[in-house]
């Protein structure tokens, strides 16, 4: 059954409690809202359908779906495939949220920028916001097949504490293999370079670097995976242009990633290679729970916990003081998590 929060938790967080429904409504926006909010919701709903269909075609297993709305508007659709034939766990979330967030959540959402601290002892109040997004993580069984994550979102805040109303887009797609196949990395990164180049020739270099710097597990001195693109706080041009870029990015999740899983889903592997995959998934968990902006924001605003933690793998491992032997394929991966490289 769907996980439910006590209403007191939702009220304290500034987001209304979920009301579960059999079928998601055609729109989760408040009545009469249009423009960018409506365009973005339509784009992410369509992307969820098409990406889940592509994964189901490969796996042969259907996604489980939970849908909910909130009395004052908004809602969400979580789809999870768990214990499939190809993917151990795969999830694709769509959410539309109206609420208010504490000042520290605003700083988390904006990377710590633009949120003035109140005078000592003064309550800064809460920041009214609207957010819509699609997020996904896919963890295959086979250690030769990579994990993939993507997230695309649109955010608005109302005037608060001397700051004007703001809007911005964010997102990205990144890949986390346990074993390096150079052709795979060239395919994945090459796909997103082509997407970026269609919109701005500076995008790929800028967003690839941002991705390498964002997904760092600081206490380990290594990245979560082998990069991709990442961008946030984008409001430097016409919003429809950024929307078009976001839609182009999310429409290339399947061609950039699914062929790599099809290629490796039946590869032979050893028990030791499976153990290495579990160690790398442990790193995945560390990043998501300690550093990830989306996870932090969701936890601080009282979002639906099962959807927030959907990104975590079904299984992971923390072997004490584990370091692969020099010259091994495991050491090769670790090298690239400590020294970012260009793949295209």
């Amino acid at each position: 059954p769907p996980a439910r929060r006590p209403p007191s938790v939702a009220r304290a967080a500034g987001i209304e409690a979920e009301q579960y429904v059999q079928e998601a409504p055609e729109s989760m926006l408040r009545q009469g809202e249009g423009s960018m909010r409506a365009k973005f919701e339509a784009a992410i709903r369509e992307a969820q359908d098409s990406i889940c269909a592509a994964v189901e075609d490969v796996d042969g297993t259907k996604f489980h779906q939970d849908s909910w709305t909130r009395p004052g508007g908004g809602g969400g659709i979580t789809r999870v495939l768990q214990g499939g034939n190809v993917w151990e766990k795969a999830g694709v979330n769509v959410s539309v949220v109206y609420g208010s967030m504490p000042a520290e959540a605003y700083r988390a959402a904006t990377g710590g920028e633009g949120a003035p601290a109140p005078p000592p002892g003064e309550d800064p109040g809460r920041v009214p916001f609207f957010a819509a997004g699609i997020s996904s993580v896919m963890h295959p069984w086979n250690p030769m097949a990579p994990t993939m994550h993507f997230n695309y979102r649109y955010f608005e805040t109302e005037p608060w504490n001397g700051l004007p109303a703001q809007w911005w887009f964010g997102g990205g797609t990144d890949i986390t293999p346990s074993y390096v196949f150079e052709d795979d990395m060239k395919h994945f990164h090459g796909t997103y370079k082509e997407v970026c180049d269609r919109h701005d020739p500076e995008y790929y270099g800028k967003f690839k670097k941002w991705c390498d710097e964002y997904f760092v597990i600081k206490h380990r001195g290594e990245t979560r995976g082998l990069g991709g693109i990442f961008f946030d706080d984008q409001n430097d041009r016409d919003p429809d242009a950024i929307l078009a870029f976001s839609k182009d990015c999310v429409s290339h999740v399947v061609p950039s990633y699914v062929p790599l899983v099809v290629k490796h889903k039946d590869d032979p592997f050893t028990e030791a290679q499976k153990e290495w995959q579990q160690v790398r998934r442990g790193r995945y968990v560390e990043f998501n729970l300690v550093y990830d902006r989306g996870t932090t924001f969701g936890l601080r605003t009282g979002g639906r916990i099962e959807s927030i933690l959907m990104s975590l793998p079904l299984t992971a491992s923390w072997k004490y003081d584990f370091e692969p032997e020099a010259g091994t394929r495991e050491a090769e991966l670790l090298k690239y998590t400590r020294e970012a490289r260009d793949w295209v």
Side-chain angles (χ1 to χ4, degrees):
R4 289 168 168 79
R5 295 177 295 150
S8 59
V9 175
R11 286 195 297 268
I15 298 176
E16 295 177 307
E18 302 93 359
Q19 296 182 345
Y20 289 87
V21 294
Q22 288 297 111
E23 296 291 335
E26 184 175 338
S27 175
M28 294 180 283
L29 296 175
R30 291 172 177 166
Q31 189 171 4
E33 288 196 333
S35 191
M36 187 53 65
R37 295 184 181 188
K39 293 176 186 177
F40 196 82
E41 185 200 19
I44 60 178
R45 296 281 292 269
E46 180 182 348
Q48 185 184 43
D49 289 343
S50 62
I51 292 167
C52 287
V55 170
E56 289 176 345
D57 285 346
V58 173
D59 195 278
T61 306
K62 294 292 185 181
F63 281 82
H64 166 81
Q65 176 171 305
D66 287 328
S67 303
W68 64 94
T69 59
R70 293 188 170 94
I77 305 167
T78 287
R79 293 179 184 168
V80 175
L81 187 161
Q82 187 165 284
N85 298 310
V86 176
W87 279 275
E88 182 179 281
K89 186 180 180 186
V92 187
N93 290 337
V94 159
S95 63
V96 173
V97 180
Y98 298 85
S100 64
M101 56 184 163
E104 63 268 21
Y106 181 86
R107 284 186 279 271
T110 59
E113 299 297 328
E122 182 177 321
D123 182 359
R126 303 182 68 90
V127 188
F129 74 91
F130 166 87
I134 182 170
S135 62
S136 172
V137 177
M138 300 189 185
H139 298 286
W141 288 107
N142 196 304
M144 301 300 157
T147 285
M148 183 275 306
H149 157 262
F150 72 86
N151 177 294
Y152 292 92
R153 55 199 175 274
Y154 175 68
F155 213 99
E156 293 181 6
T157 63
E158 297 180 16
W160 169 78
N161 204 24
L163 292 177
Q166 300 188 51
W167 62 267
W168 67 88
F169 292 81
T173 307
D174 60 279
I175 196 160
T176 303
S178 297
Y179 290 92
V180 179
F181 294 91
E182 184 136 347
D183 287 347
D184 294 355
M185 294 301 99
K186 289 181 177 178
H187 170 81
F188 178 82
H189 284 272
T191 299
Y192 275 97
K193 184 178 187 304
E194 290 177 0
V195 171
C196 289
D197 287 350
R198 280 196 289 273
H199 297 266
D200 189 320
E202 295 185 358
Y203 268 177
Y204 178 73
K206 177 181 177 181
F207 295 159
K208 193 268 187 189
K209 182 175 184 290
W210 201 340
C211 187
D212 290 337
E213 293 174 349
Y214 175 75
F215 289 104
V216 172
I217 308 169
K218 297 173 185 176
H219 59 272
R220 297 283 188 182
E222 58 193 57
T223 55
R224 186 178 74 176
L226 297 187
I229 61 168
F230 176 87
F231 60 94
D232 211 350
D233 309 322
Q234 295 299 294
N235 57 6
D236 63 341
R237 59 195 69 192
D238 185 277
D240 282 308
I242 308 176
L243 173 66
F245 173 61
S246 299
K247 290 172 66 174
D248 204 2
C249 287
V250 78
S251 72
H252 282 80
V253 166
V254 170
S256 71
Y257 172 65
V258 172
L260 307 183
V261 177
V262 171
K263 177 181 176 182
H264 295 292
K265 66 184 177 66
D266 298 317
D267 284 1
F269 59 87
T270 66
E271 183 177 341
Q273 289 170 330
K274 185 66 177 179
E275 289 177 355
W276 174 243
Q277 179 198 50
Q278 299 302 292
V279 169
R280 293 311 303 173
R281 286 187 175 172
R283 298 293 201 268
Y284 208 94
V285 172
E286 290 177 28
F287 177 86
N288 282 29
L289 293 183
V290 178
Y291 301 110
D292 184 69
R293 273 196 203 179
T295 303
T296 301
F297 176 78
L299 294 174
R300 288 177 175 172
T301 55
R304 182 176 184 265
I305 194 67
E306 289 300 316
S307 298
I308 296 167
L309 299 183
M310 173 274 296
S311 64
L312 301 183
L314 197 58
T315 58
S317 174
W318 284 265
K319 298 185 73 172
Y320 180 74
D321 198 23
F322 182 74
E323 185 78 15
E325 293 183 15
T328 62
R329 294 187 67 191
E330 293 79 10
E332 178 189 27
L333 176 83
L334 209 54
K335 172 187 174 183
Y336 292 134
T337 67
R338 294 170 176 172
E339 303 172 11
R341 64 163 282 185
D342 292 328
W343 298 97
V344 290

